[in-house]
Amino acid sequence: MRQFISDSAESSAVGVVDVARWEQYGLDGTMPFQAMWYTIPPGGAGPQDGHPELELSIVVTGVATVETGDRITEVPVGSAFLLDSEEPHVIRNLGPEPLVVFSAYWMPLTVDGATDHPGATGASTEEKAL
């Protein structure tokens, strides 16, 4: 069993968003996805993002306000949201406490079961900001 603690993970700032990527744990090639935690302060928002990966996000603390196109959805603590490949999105924290989200992301499968982009690094707009 391995334990990963978000509070002690190395992170970097993307605007006001604090991002801690799981690459720091040396797990490349051992899991079929990449992962990260990110924290958005009260009143803050991530940059508009879009990337080739599917992204499943679970709200750990706070309430995420997720903007996709003309749709705005509130996602409370303990709930999840799934972003499609190339779906433009902005994640906002309109609440009074920090918003913490765990995200796992992976390349979509094609009809034959292969990924759309073999060998893709997972980089995206805003360097896979969110």
Side-chain angles (χ1 to χ4, degrees), residues 14-30:
V14 178
V16 300
V17 182
D18 189 46
V19 179
R21 299 189 185 287
W22 281 37
E23 284 89 352
Q24 67 188 286
Y25 301 121
L27 300 171
D28 288 345
T30 62

Side-chain angles (χ1 to χ4, degrees), residues 80-94:
F81 57 96
L82 179 65
L83 297 164
D84 286 329
S85 176
E86 304 299 344
E87 182 173 16
H89 57 277
V90 174
I91 312 301
R92 297 186 186 282
N93 180 5
L94 302 179

Side-chain angles (χ1 to χ4, degrees), residues 40-87:
I40 302 176
Q48 180 163 348
D49 197 15
H51 37 76
E53 301 91 355
L54 293 165
E55 182 176 355
L56 176 64
S57 299
I58 301 168
V59 177
V60 177
T61 64
V63 176
T65 300
V66 182
E67 297 179 17
T68 56
D70 293 335
R71 185 174 178 187
I72 298 174
T73 305
E74 284 194 358
V75 183
V77 66
S79 297
F81 57 96
L82 179 65
L83 297 164
D84 286 329
S85 176
E86 304 299 344
E87 182 173 16

